């Protein structure tokens, strides 16, 4: 793949920001998405020839459709890294319907709509990388307060496997990376007393590499990427 065009969501901070930066260092054309336009502009300023910011709220279906038209006008997309996610920490009996719908919209429906809108603009040998969580990995340790987050992340693993089957004939691979603890704002919200054993820069480095090369070795896989559970 020469100078792949990579669409990455959740690129304004944390793991997504570091992944986008790594991809630009590897010569990729990066289309970076999140709501925070200022943070995306700062990301873009690191490598303006390669990184282009596309501010969008992925919980809004019309913004996803518009985003995919704009990103594809830059050229066909080789890799999508869908990394954006929302997070709510509340015990199950305190979670309201609105809490559940909020996370279903951003953690599940945003992926459904993003992939549906961008797939017509993807070439054979391209790669969908869904960023999941160890919380949504079947059989992993579970934590109090994370039922809505972990359930929506679990749904993504199945979606990723199903897409691998349906897209096989088009030569498009689909893999899900279930991340363990990484030191970011989201981790601090989930586990304020703890220190994660992995930095967002190290995880960004790994995801960048996997996004470019992983489809040569994996398809339809749900892969734990974790030193330990938090
Ligand atoms: N950190 C960990 O320990 C850990 C563990 C397992 C899995 N993960 C997964 O790794 C991914 C990245 O997590 P992180 O820790 O880096 O989280 P983070 O620092 O909270 O970053 C989340 C990203 O998602 C974006 N986002 C959230 N809602 C959005 C919306 N409605 N529209 C567009 N973008 C939105 C945020 O940007 P804006 O606020 O600017 O929109 C931000 O760029 C997530 O999928 C998370 O579930 C993280």
């Amino acid at each position: 793949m020469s100078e792949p065009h990579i669409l990455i969501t959740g690129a304004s901070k944390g793991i997504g920001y570091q992944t986008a930066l790594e991809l630009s260092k590897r010569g990729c054309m990066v289309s970076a998405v999140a709501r925070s336009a200022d943070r995306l502009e700062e990301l873009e300023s690191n490598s303006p020839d390669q990184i282009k910011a596309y501010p969008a709220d992925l919980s809004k279906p019309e913004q996803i459709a518009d985003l995919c038209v704009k990103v594809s006008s830059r050229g066909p997309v080789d890799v999508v890294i869908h990394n954006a996610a929302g997070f709510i920490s509340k015990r199950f009996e305190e979670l309201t319907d609105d809490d559940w719908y909020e996370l279903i919209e951003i953690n599940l429906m945003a992926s459904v709509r993003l992939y549906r809108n961008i797939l017509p603009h993807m070439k054979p040998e391209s790669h969908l990388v869904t960023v999941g969580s160890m919380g949504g990995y079947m059989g992993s340790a579970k934590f109090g307060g994370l039922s809505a987050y972990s359930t929506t992340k679990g749904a993504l693993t199945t979606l990723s496997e199903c897409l691998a089957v349906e897209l096989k004939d088009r030569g498009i691979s689909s893999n899900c990376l279930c991340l363990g603890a990484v030191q970011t704002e989201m981790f601090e919200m989930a586990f304020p007393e703890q220190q994660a054993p992995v930095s967002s820069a190290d995880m960004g480095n790994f995801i960048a590499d996997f996004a470019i090369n992983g489809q040569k070795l994996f398809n339809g896989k749900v892969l734990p990427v974790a030193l330990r559970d938090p």
Side-chain angles (χ1 to χ4, degrees):
M1 225 187 257
S2 63
E3 294 193 358
H5 178 192
I6 303 195
L7 166 59
I8 176 164
T9 68
S12 63
K13 58 183 173 178
I15 296 163
Y17 181 98
Q18 294 296 336
T19 305
L21 215 49
E22 275 299 327
L23 289 165
S24 70
K25 287 181 196 160
R26 290 160 204 233
C28 299
M29 197 160 89
V30 180
S31 294
V33 183
R35 291 167 299 184
S36 310
D38 51 342
R39 293 199 195 200
L40 288 182
E41 270 170 35
E42 192 273 316
L43 170 69
E44 198 179 60
S45 70
N46 287 287
S47 190
D49 290 343
Q50 286 157 288
I51 304 175
K52 190 158 169 35
Y54 293 90
D57 184 345
L58 296 170
S59 64
K60 305 269 190 302
E62 66 286 357
Q63 292 196 27
I64 295 181
D66 187 47
L67 164 76
C68 291
V69 170
K70 285 185 192 151
V71 167
S72 59
S73 72
R74 226 185 149 193
V77 175
D78 297 286
V79 178
V80 177
I81 303 172
H82 181 44
N83 161 80
F87 180 81
I88 295 175
S89 177
K90 269 190 198 177
R91 294 193 66 80
F92 176 75
E93 285 167 283
E94 286 154 19
L95 282 164
T96 63
D97 280 2
D98 283 348
D99 292 329
W100 278 96
Y101 284 126
E102 182 185 325
L103 287 195
I104 289 168
E105 279 296 315
I106 180 59
N107 289 356
L108 177 61
M109 291 312 297
S111 327
V112 170
R113 293 173 183 134
L114 181 73
Y115 293 157
R116 190 167 55 213
N117 281 279
I118 205 66
L119 273 167
H121 307 287
M122 295 187 76
K123 297 186 283 196
E125 294 181 34
S126 55
H127 193 193
L128 296 179
V129 179
T130 303
V131 177
S133 167
M134 282 303 286
Y137 186 76
M138 199 182 289
S140 68
K142 298 294 185 282
F143 297 91
L146 303 191
S147 59
Y149 171 76
S150 300
T151 301
T152 52
K153 285 298 204 178
L156 283 183
T157 65
T158 307
L159 174 65
S160 176
E161 289 175 310
C162 293
L163 286 172
V165 174
E166 290 202 18
L167 299 173
K168 197 171 171 210
D169 290 348
R170 286 176 57 188
I172 299 176
S173 302
S174 169
N175 291 297
C176 182
L177 299 177
C178 291
L179 309 189
V182 181
Q183 195 62 41
T184 66
E185 287 178 29
M186 187 184 287
F187 181 82
E188 280 164 24
M189 269 197 283
F191 302 101
E193 310 291 312
Q194 295 188 35
Q195 182 70 29
V198 175
S199 70
S200 53
D202 281 345
M203 187 57 84
N205 196 7
F206 171 81
I207 295 176
D209 203 44
F210 184 83
I212 299 168
N213 297 309
Q215 76 280 23
K216 296 171 195 160
L217 298 167
F218 301 96
N219 187 22
K221 296 293 186 287
V222 175
L223 303 166
V225 185
L227 286 171
R228 57 169 170 82
D229 288 330

